[in-house]
Amino acid sequence: MNLSTVDSKFEYEIQNITYDPSFLKSRIVHFGFGAFHRSHQALFTSELLNLEQGDWGICEINLFDKELIEKLRQQNHGYTVLEKSSDFYTLKHSGSITESLHPELDGCQAILSKLVEDQVAIVSLTITEKGYCADFAQGRLDATHPMIKDDLCHPQKPSSIIGYIVEGLRLRKLKKMNAFSILSCDNINNNGHVAKAVILDYAKLVDESLAEWIEDKVTFPCTMVDRITPAVEAKDRKDIHEILGYDDPCGVVCEPFRQWVIEDNFVSGRPNWNKVGAQFVADVAPFEEMKLRMLNGSHSFMAYMGNLAGFDYISEVMENNDYRVAVSELMFNEQGASLEMPEGVDLDLYAHSLIERFSNPSLQHRTWQIAMDGSQKIPPRFCESLRILKAQNKSTKWIILGIAAWMKYVGRRNDLKQYIDVVDPLVDQFDGIYKESETNQQVVSSLLNIQSIFGADISNDVLIRSEILDMYELLDKEGSKKAIQFVMSKK
């Protein structure tokens, strides 16, 4: 192994590709060329190609970020992944991407044409919760979503990802072609089921017979994905440049750890990702719930509580012993207690590994980044475990504090009276609630009444309302750091 150093501090190695990308076919069409996809599914595919020299290439589609697609094309669709542990870096070249499309660069028709190419076997997604245009409280399509309403007016010229997929499937049905599998890789509970629900709901509004064909021919495997992948910072770009000798605007940084659990339910074949560390199983649900509640739930807790206290990065939050203890208790006593896992899964070991991963100082993972889109994240990360634990009469004090911290966060002021740039699909509704409310009780009550987040059962639970209000007022009066200490003292 050829080792070098960056900034005379970290040793590193470089791993190059060993296959010829020109032999690849676009057998996977992927929506959402974001940092996580580059560090995870696309890299898994590249490493598999190193191993068995197959032809599983990826066509990347972005509907919004045109500049990133342009940069990817400028470097012939190759990019790098810098894996950072606390004291060692590994830079990996990835060449699994064959081509890329964007509606402004290539037109709507080019994307639809790609979806009906015969070799396409999988359409995969990393589009975040809001890309599904779903009402997550109901687990169905939000037919009032502006993009969905617009697409239904002219379904053959879609603008949403759901619209593109359904129109692509309509064309395949019309041409009597085989269907493809739709592989959701987003942090959504039962992500495959959610993808199926919104796609079928939309298809029924377009053509009932099309919906029946999709239900009969298309499969929607569920997945659990895990790899901490922060937004790239200036220092990361500098590190990549120093190792490569040139800039890589599509390069990403991440932790060494990764996990991918996939329901083995593909209608037109799939890569052997299991040969490079993925795990094919019959039922992904327990692994999804474990990750959503323990990793993602803890991340959200640290994001809101940490950001309120003025912490910029997750590793800074974990350097504070009080927050570290709080996160540990949240995972061991509450989120872990809400789970039922298959035999052989050690939740305590998993929790300890998460604490170590969160503490990695080489990963500059911003609390603000994790705090985005909380209205979509609160239901699977907090509300499901809250329901289970309340029914079992078990502790929920940290989950309640996490929800109250989110409510304080969307008020746009941290404990230092600094402005918070809240990014959320419901931000206008939050702003309206804060503008119209004269008391803390009115704020909490109005936020709890948002059914798409909390559902009627939580919204109407008098005890939960009281507990969240108490925590909100504690945060409002004492701030995040003292609130942590107070809750820690409660038995």
Side-chain angles (χ1 to χ4, degrees):
M1 181 167 57
N2 184 21
L3 300 180
S4 302
T5 60
V6 178
D7 291 337
S8 301
K9 183 179 181 182
F10 294 103
E11 286 189 323
Y12 71 85
E13 65 169 325
I14 300 175
Q15 295 182 5
N16 294 304
I17 63 172
T18 60
Y19 55 92
D20 184 349
S22 67
F23 286 102
L24 303 182
K25 299 176 183 178
S26 295
R27 299 183 67 184
I28 301 171
V29 173
H30 183 80
F31 283 93
F33 182 62
F36 179 77
H37 169 69
R38 280 171 272 164
S39 77
H40 198 270
Q41 302 96 20
L43 185 62
F44 266 95
T45 305
S46 182
E47 292 184 3
L48 177 61
L49 291 166
N50 277 336
L51 186 67
E52 64 177 26
Q53 305 288 322
D55 65 352
W56 283 91
I58 305 171
C59 173
E60 299 291 346
I61 299 177
N62 268 4
L63 298 188
F64 302 105
D65 192 342
K66 180 177 67 173
E67 182 181 357
L68 188 58
I69 294 295
E70 291 174 325
K71 290 176 178 177
L72 180 64
R73 291 178 179 181
Q74 289 167 8
Q75 48 198 52
N76 296 318
H77 296 96
Y79 69 95
T80 54
V81 177
L82 183 59
E83 298 177 353
K84 289 186 171 184
S85 69
S86 59
D87 58 1
F88 190 83
Y89 294 174
T90 302
L91 187 121
K92 298 181 177 181
H93 287 269
S94 179
S96 58
I97 298 170
T98 54
E99 57 186 323
S100 56
L101 295 168
H102 189 283
E104 288 185 35
L105 298 172
D106 309 291
C108 168
Q109 191 56 48
I111 296 173
L112 293 174
S113 295
K114 182 57 60 179
L115 290 170
V116 294
E117 288 184 1
D118 188 60
Q119 83 282 352
V120 172
I122 297 170
V123 171
S124 56
L125 310 170
T126 51
I127 57 178
T128 75
E129 292 89 345
K130 57 188 175 186
Y132 291 82
C133 303
D135 177 348
F136 285 100
Q138 303 297 321
R140 312 300 307 187
L141 179 75
D142 178 5
T144 67
H145 191 286
M147 293 183 73
I148 297 299
K149 290 173 67 176
D150 187 57
D151 282 358
L152 289 171
C153 293
H154 41 78
Q156 294 180 23
K157 294 182 179 179
S159 59
S160 72
I161 292 166
I162 304 305
Y164 270 107
I165 291 173
V166 171
E167 178 59 13
L169 288 168
R170 186 189 73 83
L171 292 171
R172 291 182 82 96
K173 175 178 180 287
L174 187 66
K175 295 173 182 289
K176 301 187 185 306
M177 298 174 64
N178 291 333
F180 45 65
S181 295
I182 297 171
L183 184 68
S184 171
C185 297
D186 285 294
N187 285 317
I188 299 171
N189 199 21
N190 294 313
N191 52 16
H193 301 318
V194 171
K196 181 177 182 178
V198 296
I199 285 170
L200 286 177
D201 285 349
Y202 179 88
K204 288 174 184 176
L205 296 172
V206 174
D207 179 351
E208 283 279 356
S209 65
L210 173 61
E212 292 173 3
W213 183 87
I214 292 172
E215 187 155 24
D216 183 50
K217 302 294 185 182
V218 179
T219 58
F220 299 81
C222 289
T223 67
M224 185 272 265
V225 295
D226 189 1
R227 173 166 256 189
I228 296 173
T229 308
V232 179
E233 302 270 333
K235 183 186 182 302
D236 301 316
R237 294 188 187 93
K238 180 177 178 292
D239 288 341
I240 292 173
H241 180 100
E242 185 168 339
I243 295 171
L244 287 175
Y246 55 87
D247 289 332
D248 179 2
C250 297
V252 293
V253 297
C254 60
E255 64 175 337
F257 178 91
R258 68 182 186 186
Q259 189 174 16
W260 196 5
V261 184
I262 311 166
E263 180 186 358
D264 200 0
N265 182 24
F266 291 82
V267 71
S268 295
R270 45 92 171 155
N272 295 317
W273 286 309
N274 53 301
K275 292 185 176 181
V276 286
Q279 183 180 1
F280 287 106
V281 299
D283 183 12
V284 175
F287 299 94
E288 280 184 314
E289 291 166 355
M290 178 183 74
K291 194 250 179 171
L292 277 165
R293 296 178 198 172
M294 296 187 71
L295 188 154
N296 298 121
S298 299
H299 249 172
S300 289
F301 180 88
M302 288 186 284
Y304 298 121
M305 290 296 292
N307 197 281
L308 288 175
F311 292 115
D312 287 329
Y313 299 107
I314 290 296
S315 59
E316 292 177 345
V317 176
M318 293 301 285
E319 287 174 2
N320 182 294
N321 188 63
D322 290 340
Y323 286 79
R324 191 181 184 92
V325 170
V327 171
S328 299
E329 290 191 2
L330 170 67
M331 283 196 285
F332 284 105
N333 301 339
E334 297 184 12
Q335 300 286 40
S338 74
L339 296 166
E340 292 186 11
M341 298 302 299
E343 186 176 351
V345 176
D346 189 333
L347 287 178
D348 285 354
L349 182 64
Y350 182 64
H352 282 297
S353 73
L354 289 176
I355 292 168
E356 182 178 349
R357 291 165 62 193
F358 294 154
S359 303
N360 184 349
S362 295
L363 288 184
Q364 300 291 283
H365 206 177
R366 289 190 179 273
T367 55
W368 177 81
Q369 180 191 358
I370 298 166
M372 290 179 179
D373 302 328
S375 65
Q376 312 288 301
K377 296 174 179 176
I378 292 294
R381 299 184 184 192
F382 287 149
C383 293
E384 286 304 308
S385 43
L386 178 63
R387 291 182 177 98
I388 293 168
L389 294 170
K390 283 295 185 185
Q392 298 173 352
N393 198 30
K394 292 180 179 178
S395 170
T396 59
K397 64 182 183 180
W398 295 115
I399 292 173
I400 293 290
L401 181 61
I403 293 172
W406 167 77
M407 291 181 170
K408 279 291 296 177
Y409 179 89
V410 300
R412 292 189 181 270
R413 294 289 169 185
N414 68 10
D415 297 343
L416 307 175
K417 308 304 179 186
Q418 296 168 329
Y419 176 78
I420 299 173
D421 180 17
V422 176
V423 177
D424 194 286
L426 301 185
V427 66
D428 291 340
Q429 188 172 356
F430 302 152
D431 289 345
I433 286 171
Y434 267 88
K435 184 177 180 180
E436 295 167 9
S437 298
E438 297 180 355
T439 65
N440 288 342
Q441 184 172 2
Q442 289 174 328
V443 169
V444 170
S445 179
S446 295
L447 289 171
L448 277 171
N449 286 338
I450 302 176
Q451 297 292 298
S452 63
I453 302 176
F454 295 104
D457 56 338
I458 291 177
S459 296
N460 296 330
D461 190 304
V462 176
L463 178 59
I464 290 176
R465 279 180 171 267
S466 175
E467 290 175 341
I468 292 175
L469 177 59
D470 287 346
M471 290 293 191
Y472 183 94
E473 292 190 323
L474 176 64
L475 287 166
D476 191 47
K477 180 181 179 181
E478 302 292 348
S480 174
K481 292 181 178 179
K482 289 187 177 179
I484 286 268
Q485 294 172 348
F486 177 82
V487 175
M488 204 180 301
S489 69
K490 293 177 63 178
K491 301 299 183 184

